[in-house]
Amino acid sequence: MGSGWGVHSRRLAAWLLLAPLALQAQPLPASWALEDPQLAAYFAAAVGRLEARCLADVQTRSDWEAVRPRRHQQLLDMLGLWPPPARTDLQAEVSGRVDGGDLLVESLRFQSLPGLYVTANLYLPKGLSAPAPAILYVCGHSPVKTNGISFGNKVAYQHHGIWLAQQGYVCLMVDTHQLGEIEGDHHGTYRLGQWWWNSRGYTPAGVEAWNGIRALDYLESRPEVDPGRIGMTGRSGGGAYTWTVAALDERVRVAAPVAGITDLRNQVVDGAVEGHCDCMFYLNRHQWDFPLQAALVAPRPLLIVNTDADTLFPLDGVQRLFSATRRLYRLLGAEDELGLVIAPGPHVDTQDLQVPVVRWFDRHLKGATTPVTNAALARYPGHTLRALGTAPADARNSRIQREFGPPTNPPPADLEALRLILRDRCFLGWPGADEPLGLRELSSETNGTVRLRVFEFQSQPHVVLRLVVADQPGTPPQWSRFVVLDDAGWDSWMGAWAPRFPGAAGRLAGNPAQASAGVVPVWTGPAPGEVLFAMAPRGEGPHRWTGDARKQTQIRRRFPLVGQTLDGMRVWDIGRGLEAARRLGSGSEVILTARGRSAVNAALAAVFEDPTPMLDLQELPDRLEDEPDHLGRATVTDTANLLRLLEDGRAQQAERGSTGTGGPR
């Protein structure tokens, strides 16, 4: 900065004006790409659908005014904040003060919920004669530790607080949940295998949003702050939290998120999700694209800030998001309240990004801009900014993922009620019921009295699955067993069947050597009058995707971004397999058989079948942590209640003598 900044500023301003038209996005890491063409096409189609519907219902100002309250509630819901938690006493405590000559720094803590501690620093300009404008600064992922002691990521970002105070702003800088002085976690699905977060409706993005809302409560309590002039900024993770809090809370009068958002296409199709932990995303139950989140800030002043070579927030997605947001600002007559800054460089914190942000705040919070003549520089060692000595005994930061989020609803009273709420809460990402099945036979072979046929069917576009059928030709089907197989089960069953039907061996693709212990390859032929069906849902058995364990995790993390989970779509697959079985002649009674995690998915598929099939479920998980994940399902019903309602449904069918319609409901 300094004396040369004015010349550079004018040159940069012209360059920025051309940037959206002239620049190309930096290539993303090749390892983020999806190697399976069908899987890549599936996600591209899913993203395309959500892009097409994003803000499509908003063509006028009145359109937006009509839908905005619903969109606001949907965002709260997807963050685990609906209904909103109670705003309990913050129990704020200032534990230390540092006189920096031209400013004061306070170290403090507050409780956003009882036992959920937020550590922070408050930067105060010297010589305030009246309440001043304030900035809530939220930090990105920059841990600061010494000898295993966390001083919070606020230490790494202190130069922003110092600099903003030097420009006349009160700046509250809060630690993140993961990297604060009491460390939580942002990596449940990213690297810890805690997929049950999805089932609980939990995302650390919700914690960060709530902490930001309560930080605004704290700012408003300070006599040095003018509550009508509060802005918010942060970069990277802090940029993402700025988007969320500003969308939810209109006390943020001006927002300037830096490198914190791009569109769904970048995240899912291009694979940028692989560079982000869980705190960056809401659980996209309502199937948004990210311009909807930006729209909730309108018409308040919003400055979108990014660099041109950022692979975590690629330029092309930022441009698309800006264009979609600008259309709404135009409809609201507020186009001058939206800005875009693109500076050169990768995903780094630079002065080229900082200066436009402070000038944006000057314009909208002070009503005038002044030259920036000093640099943003850090001053303080970590221990100086520490707010805590030891963690309070009642702190629950490290376990909040088990306690934060939407409440568990009263269990549904019957199968019909369960079906409706599951469809509305957990499976909104399912396709329409009129998808063509495309059932076709691939092979047929007979060994003695047993015929083995292999079919394929389309569960939905870009998802083609195998269905293996064994029966005794000439014997009318009286009943059937429909077996849902996971990887080990497929390898075991098909490895045993393939030698007896060599013509179908290539289509069965069994590998008994890969079967897990306790899953013994056996030939299980059908009895007279029985039809035996076997299938593996997407991503399992013959449908396994390419890549190591880490890649499988990152594939799985893409599903919630398009409003699904992998296991939620496997429930759909099972239902489609049952539909294919009915078309082939499954008899009057169906026994649905599955083992382990697949058994839970099979039970959920049975909820949507009419009549409800008989269940043969083995080795059911006894903990939520071991079950398959479905968006918010743990807030609707646990597995024990699910099975009870299915049993009640079967009993009611028997009393009515009902055979149902033979299809999904």
Side-chain angles (χ1 to χ4, degrees):
M1 293 179 221
S3 60
W5 176 256
V7 174
H8 183 56
S9 175
R10 288 192 294 272
R11 183 171 67 249
L12 182 61
W15 180 78
L16 291 174
L17 185 63
L18 297 175
L21 299 177
L23 295 178
Q24 299 296 318
Q26 185 80 357
L28 274 63
S31 63
W32 290 358
L34 295 173
E35 295 183 26
D36 299 88
Q38 190 176 117
L39 184 63
Y42 171 80
F43 281 119
V47 168
R49 287 192 297 272
L50 301 195
E51 286 176 329
R53 62 190 264 187
C54 180
L55 291 171
D57 56 347
V58 178
Q59 300 301 321
T60 65
R61 174 194 287 268
S62 60
D63 287 344
W64 179 241
E65 291 171 349
V67 303
R68 190 186 188 283
R70 177 165 56 90
R71 296 300 190 187
H72 184 269
Q73 183 175 323
Q74 285 177 346
L75 182 56
L76 286 167
D77 180 47
M78 294 189 295
L79 289 163
L81 293 171
W82 187 260
R87 290 191 177 180
T88 51
D89 192 329
L90 289 170
Q91 300 288 324
E93 296 182 31
V94 175
S95 59
R97 292 181 175 86
V98 176
D99 189 334
D102 55 344
L103 56 91
L104 293 172
V105 187
E106 294 184 353
S107 297
L108 60 97
R109 72 186 192 192
F110 62 84
Q111 297 178 51
S112 64
L113 292 172
L116 181 56
Y117 284 84
V118 181
T119 45
N121 294 129
L122 186 70
Y123 295 84
L124 294 161
K126 282 279 190 75
L128 290 177
S129 58
I135 306 298
L136 173 58
Y137 192 98
V138 279
C139 300
H141 295 83
S142 294
V144 178
K145 281 186 171 184
T146 301
N147 297 325
I149 297 173
S150 174
F151 297 132
N153 44 351
K154 63 185 179 299
V155 175
Y157 287 90
Q158 61 173 285
H159 53 291
H160 291 277
I162 294 167
W163 192 53
L164 286 164
Q166 290 171 336
Q167 312 309 313
Y169 294 96
V170 175
C171 178
L172 178 64
M173 181 169 291
V174 295
D175 278 328
T176 61
H177 171 61
Q178 182 193 11
L179 298 174
E181 295 182 31
I182 306 173
E183 295 174 279
D185 214 309
H186 283 171
H187 291 87
T189 71
Y190 186 86
R191 60 176 170 81
L192 298 178
Q194 295 179 354
W195 299 99
W196 54 270
W197 286 17
N198 294 332
S199 295
R200 281 206 66 247
Y202 173 78
T203 167
V207 172
E208 299 296 357
W210 183 248
N211 287 352
I213 290 169
R214 300 311 313 273
L216 294 173
D217 292 344
Y218 179 75
L219 270 176
E220 285 191 322
S221 75
R222 295 291 300 227
E224 303 92 341
V225 171
D226 178 351
R229 292 188 292 163
I230 296 177
M232 186 170 181
T233 189
R235 68 170 305 276
S236 192
Y241 317 145
T242 300
W243 279 107
T244 305
V245 175
L248 293 175
D249 199 318
E250 293 190 357
R251 291 178 296 176
V252 179
R253 302 302 174 91
V254 185
V258 181
I261 200 169
T262 183
D263 67 355
L264 201 58
R265 181 163 296 276
N266 274 164
Q267 298 289 6
V268 176
V269 177
D270 301 330
V273 62
E274 300 201 17
H276 294 294
C277 61
D278 298 359
C279 72
M280 305 297 290
F281 307 114
Y282 44 75
L283 298 179
N284 196 12
R285 184 196 330 276
H286 298 288
Q287 298 183 288
W288 286 18
D289 198 353
F290 288 103
L292 264 172
Q293 188 173 349
L296 286 172
V297 183
R300 288 168 287 151
L302 171 63
L303 184 68
I304 300 173
V305 187
N306 219 79
T307 47
D308 65 332
D310 190 334
T311 54
L312 293 178
F313 304 98
L315 180 62
D316 58 342
V318 174
Q319 292 171 308
R320 290 190 295 265
L321 183 136
F322 172 75
S323 295
T325 307
R326 180 170 56 182
R327 184 180 75 83
L328 180 62
Y329 270 78
R330 283 174 177 165
L331 287 177
L332 300 178
E335 189 173 1
D336 288 346
E337 305 302 294
L338 178 68
L340 174 66
V341 171
I342 304 295
H347 185 71
V348 293
D349 188 11
T350 69
Q351 294 180 354
D352 288 348
L353 300 173
Q354 296 161 7
V355 170
V357 169
V358 78
R359 290 177 66 83
W360 185 257
F361 287 139
D362 284 350
R363 172 184 166 189
H364 293 285
L365 295 177
K366 293 181 179 178
T369 59
T370 56
V372 177
T373 59
N374 63 326
L377 299 173
R379 294 182 182 179
Y380 303 109
H383 70 274
T384 305
L385 301 177
R386 196 174 184 204
L388 294 171
T390 57
D394 63 344
R396 53 191 183 120
N397 296 47
S398 62
R399 66 176 192 274
I400 200 65
Q401 61 269 25
R402 298 183 180 276
E403 301 170 2
F404 186 95
T408 300
N409 296 298
D414 54 40
L415 203 56
E416 181 63 28
L418 176 63
R419 183 180 305 119
L420 292 174
I421 194 170
L422 283 174
R423 193 69 171 88
D424 183 61
R425 290 288 300 165
C426 307
F427 301 133
L428 277 173
W430 277 1
D434 56 350
E435 293 282 355
L437 194 62
L439 182 65
R440 72 186 187 98
E441 187 174 87
L442 301 179
S443 67
S444 177
E445 187 176 358
T446 302
N447 183 340
T449 62
V450 177
R451 175 180 60 175
L452 189 84
R453 293 177 290 168
V454 181
F455 293 83
E456 70 177 17
F457 65 93
Q458 180 176 274
S459 183
Q460 65 182 114
H462 311 293
V463 181
V464 178
L465 303 176
R466 297 273 172 86
L467 180 66
V468 181
V469 186
D471 62 1
Q472 295 191 17
T475 304
Q478 299 175 17
W479 61 283
S480 62
R481 181 177 295 275
F482 190 99
V483 184
V484 181
L485 298 170
D486 57 14
D487 278 341
W490 181 272
D491 289 335
S492 177
W493 278 55
M494 300 309 143
W497 288 19
R500 292 169 172 80
F501 300 94
R507 301 190 188 280
L508 302 181
N511 183 1
Q514 298 298 317
S516 62
V519 183
V520 181
V522 293
W523 164 242
T524 312
E530 177 190 20
V531 185
L532 186 59
F533 298 92
M535 69 163 287
R538 70 187 71 190
E540 296 192 287
H543 319 299
R544 283 170 256 206
W545 296 311
T546 304
D548 58 13
R550 183 190 180 281
K551 190 64 179 182
Q552 300 307 312
T553 292
Q554 296 305 326
I555 290 171
R556 192 171 172 182
R557 292 183 73 232
R558 282 167 164 84
F559 281 91
L561 292 180
V562 294
Q564 308 164 356
T565 65
L566 172 55
D567 279 303
M569 298 316 298
R570 286 171 172 163
V571 175
W572 170 264
D573 293 341
I574 295 166
R576 294 285 276 177
L578 287 164
E579 181 180 348
R582 283 190 295 273
R583 294 195 186 184
L584 294 171
S586 55
S588 59
E589 179 71 273
V590 176
I591 301 175
L592 183 55
T593 299
R595 178 191 302 271
R597 292 168 52 86
S598 295
V600 181
N601 287 337
L604 285 163
V607 171
F608 297 91
E609 292 296 309
D610 186 17
T612 304
M614 184 182 297
L615 298 178
D616 175 19
L617 305 179
Q618 306 162 19
E619 300 177 12
L620 278 161
D622 56 8
R623 302 188 314 154
L624 178 66
E625 291 85 345
D626 300 323
E627 292 184 353
D629 61 308
H630 315 95
L631 289 181
R633 201 261 296 174
T635 69
V636 174
T637 181
D638 60 22
T639 300
N641 185 62
L642 166 66
L643 297 176
R644 180 183 63 78
L645 292 179
L646 285 167
E647 184 177 349
D648 290 347
R650 290 269 306 170
Q652 291 168 10
Q653 284 174 186
E655 290 175 5
R656 295 192 306 265
S658 171
T659 58
T661 62
R665 292 177 285 186

